[in-house]
């Protein structure tokens, strides 16, 4: 029997057997699909997602050239190149991250069963299924759902290699780790933690330790073609760019809140449950592995941020969400009284579902979709749509039926667009200067203006200019402003 819990076919002690666990896992996945579908339907594609779609439209070679000037890795955009072949309908595009998200729930159940037993794996899967953070990212058309699955598979392979030493586990670790790096460079923190933990555990087994070192070399070799691009990206971020301020402690606290079902008051509750596996001899080793792999991608970037590398944002740290639910699931299964464990687990799942219902639609999606609805209902294919910043521009360019008259304002005195604004996928033909607009206005055209306020470069100069052109005709939808001007019938 492996260290870490009871995994026998007969499942003594009331734990579900392997076949029952498989059916229960399927039921969890089916139920998990419902909130993810609702989330996909209530959230229109927004800036990061549309940027990825526009990248995919360029084709593999061109998108690689564009991303060399950005900070993202290319794997997800390359996947989108193939995924969008049947079409670019919103629900079809969101089905891709949904599949990765649901696959992660299955992988959590399987790894939890290996590490702590069937009940722990099932509770972990149920908690991940109801996590508001995982529900949202399971339908966002970005690299997150893919990357989190790859990191979980890497963690499982690393753990099995430590326990069994099978060649297939080492190969799985190498392949999944390399793909995770091609999906997002931040994966290196979690992968380094996994590798170090196993290396220390094998310190008295030189032969296996040498093979494990070979796995690290193999991962580096598979990532080598992208390494020069990454070095350039990081140099630009750390040296030549305008990095943000050091990460405040409140951001880390907010990460912890979102790992704990969006609730501050649940932090100590889930924290105690996640600590319980460390107190028992059997689960202690896998729990230590998960804790270490979870904490390194939070603590190290936070420390680096305060040491001068101000290149990290909060959501990068959510990569440990599935590991956290494994620990909490193991804690629920460790509660001695089975009825009490069932009540505690069910209550947490319901609290997660409640937190998701209360959160509602994403602000950016809700605000810009209301503005787009007005344009669809009251605008025409001949109306110009002038956007003050790139978030509203990419949104309208993707979502409007007649996007060809959408223009991004490029005004004197405005702050220069940055690569993080998505400007790399905006050709010059889609931009409009004040002089060009003056020539167009001479023809007495009808026009609309759009601005979305956010924490980056959100077009204050262009917004003031639109205010001066539109008289008092402006509508506000949350953080979005919609102007109407020109010649109207």
């Amino acid at each position: 029997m492996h260290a870490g819990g009871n995994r026998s076919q007969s499942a003594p002690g009331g734990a579900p057997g392997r076949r029952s666990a498989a059916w229960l896992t399927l039921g969890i996945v089916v139920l998990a699909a419902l909130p993810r579908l609702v989330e996909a339907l209530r959230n229109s594609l927004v800036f990061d997602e549309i940027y990825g779609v526009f990248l995919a439209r360029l084709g593999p070679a061109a998108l690689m050239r564009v991303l060399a000037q950005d900070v993202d890795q290319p794997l997800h955009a390359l996947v989108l190149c193939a995924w969008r072949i049947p079409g670019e309908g919103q629900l079809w595009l969101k089905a891709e991250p949904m599949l990765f998200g649901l696959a992660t729930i299955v992988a959590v159940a399987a790894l939890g069963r290996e590490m702590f037993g069937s009940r722990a794996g099932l509770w972990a899967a149920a908690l991940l299924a109801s996590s508001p953070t995982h529900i949202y990212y399971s339908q966002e058309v970005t690299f997150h759902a893919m990357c989190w699955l790859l990191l979980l598979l890497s963690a499982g392979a690393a753990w099995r290699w430590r326990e069994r030493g099978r060649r297939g586990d080492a190969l799985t670790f190498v392949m999944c780790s390399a793909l995770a790096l091609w999906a997002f460079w931040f994966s290196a923190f979690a992968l380094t933690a996994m590798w170090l933990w196993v290396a220390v555990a094998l310190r008295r087994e030189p032969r296996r330790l040498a093979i494990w070192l070979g796995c690290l070399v193999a991962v580096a070799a598979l990532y080598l073609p992208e390494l020069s691009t990454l070095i350039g990206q990081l140099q630009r971020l750390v040296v030549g760019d305008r990095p943000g301020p050091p990460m405040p402690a409140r951001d880390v606290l907010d990460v912890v809140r979102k790992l704990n079902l969006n609730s501050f008051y649940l932090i100590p509750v889930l924290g105690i449950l996640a600590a319980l596996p460390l107190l028992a001899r059997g689960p202690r080793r896998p729990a230590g592995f998960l804790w270490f792999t979870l904490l390194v991608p939070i603590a190290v970037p936070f420390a680096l941020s305060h040491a001068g590398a101000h290149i990290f944002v909060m959501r990068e740290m959510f990569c440990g969400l599935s590991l956290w639910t494994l620990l909490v699931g193991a804690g629920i299964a460790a509660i001695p009284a089975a009825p009490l464990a069932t009540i505690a687990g069910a209550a947490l799942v319901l609290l997660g579902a409640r937190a998701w219902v209360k959160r509602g639609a994403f602000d950016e999606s809700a605000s810009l979709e209301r503005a787009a609805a007005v344009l669809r209902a009251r605008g025409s294919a001949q109306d110009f749509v002038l956007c003050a910043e790139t978030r509203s521009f990419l949104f309208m360019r993707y979502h409007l039926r007649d996007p060809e008259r959408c223009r991004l304002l490029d005004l004197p005195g405005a702050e220069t667009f940055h690569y993080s604004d998505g400007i790399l996928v905006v050709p010059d033909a889609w931009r409009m200067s004040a002089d060009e607009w003056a020539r167009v206005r001479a023809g007495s055209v009808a026009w609309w203006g759009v601005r979305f306020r956010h924490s980056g470069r959100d077009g204050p100069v262009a917004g003031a200019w639109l205010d001066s052109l539109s008289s008092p005709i402006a509508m506000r939808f949350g953080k979005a402003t919609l102007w109407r001007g020109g010649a109207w019938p």
Side-chain angles (χ1 to χ4, degrees), residues 355-477:
W356 167 69
V357 171
K358 286 179 62 179
R359 189 187 59 195
F362 185 46
D363 284 348
E364 183 174 343
S365 171
S367 298
L368 287 173
E369 181 53 42
R370 290 173 65 194
V374 174
L375 288 172
R376 295 187 197 103
R378 300 171 60 183
S380 73
Q382 288 72 44
D383 303 342
F384 274 88
V385 179
L386 309 176
C387 298
E389 34 63 48
T390 52
R391 286 180 181 263
S392 64
F393 175 72
L394 291 186
F395 188 96
M396 299 303 168
R397 189 83 195 182
Y398 175 84
H399 287 285
L400 292 183
R401 290 187 296 269
D402 302 295
E404 293 307 315
R405 286 182 176 259
C406 290
R407 294 291 186 273
L408 176 63
L409 289 171
D410 191 358
L411 303 180
E415 188 174 11
T416 304
F417 290 114
H418 187 255
Y419 61 81
S420 61
D421 298 320
I423 197 64
L424 297 176
V425 296
V426 179
D428 291 342
W430 293 1
R431 301 170 73 164
M432 180 167 282
S433 67
D435 290 341
E436 290 171 326
W437 178 236
R439 290 194 292 271
V440 171
R441 284 188 73 201
S444 299
V445 298
W447 60 270
W448 301 84
V450 190
R451 180 189 178 195
F452 179 75
R453 290 178 173 83
H454 56 91
S455 58
R457 285 158 287 273
D458 63 352
V461 172
W465 187 72
L466 289 168
D467 264 331
S468 71
L469 294 179
S470 62
S471 303
I473 304 175
M475 296 162 271
R476 287 180 173 79
F477 307 100

Side-chain angles (χ1 to χ4, degrees), residues 225-407:
E226 182 68 5
L227 184 60
S228 61
T229 297
L230 176 63
I231 291 172
Q233 291 175 339
L234 293 180
Q235 285 178 335
R236 183 168 61 247
L237 276 169
V238 177
V239 179
D241 209 339
R242 296 167 292 178
M247 183 178 295
R250 66 175 179 272
D251 278 8
V252 178
L253 182 61
D254 204 42
V255 169
V256 176
R257 176 183 69 86
K258 291 184 177 180
L259 292 178
N260 289 275
L261 306 178
N262 284 13
S263 301
F264 282 115
Y265 71 89
L266 285 177
I267 293 174
V269 177
L270 272 67
I272 291 171
L273 288 171
L276 285 180
L278 295 172
L279 304 179
R281 184 175 180 181
R284 185 176 300 151
R285 191 159 65 190
F289 170 71
L290 294 176
W291 269 105
F292 187 66
T293 306
L294 169 71
L295 290 177
V296 165
I298 296 176
V300 173
F302 179 77
L304 288 174
S305 171
H306 286 263
H310 311 153
I311 58 177
F312 308 105
V313 296
M314 182 183 71
R315 64 179 178 176
E316 295 170 350
M317 298 179 176
F318 295 148
C319 62
L321 177 59
S322 57
L323 307 185
W324 181 246
T325 57
L326 280 167
L327 287 165
V328 176
I332 294 171
I335 296 174
L340 182 59
T342 301
I343 292 171
L348 290 174
V349 170
L350 290 174
L351 287 171
R354 176 177 176 269
W356 167 69
V357 171
K358 286 179 62 179
R359 189 187 59 195
F362 185 46
D363 284 348
E364 183 174 343
S365 171
S367 298
L368 287 173
E369 181 53 42
R370 290 173 65 194
V374 174
L375 288 172
R376 295 187 197 103
R378 300 171 60 183
S380 73
Q382 288 72 44
D383 303 342
F384 274 88
V385 179
L386 309 176
C387 298
E389 34 63 48
T390 52
R391 286 180 181 263
S392 64
F393 175 72
L394 291 186
F395 188 96
M396 299 303 168
R397 189 83 195 182
Y398 175 84
H399 287 285
L400 292 183
R401 290 187 296 269
D402 302 295
E404 293 307 315
R405 286 182 176 259
C406 290
R407 294 291 186 273

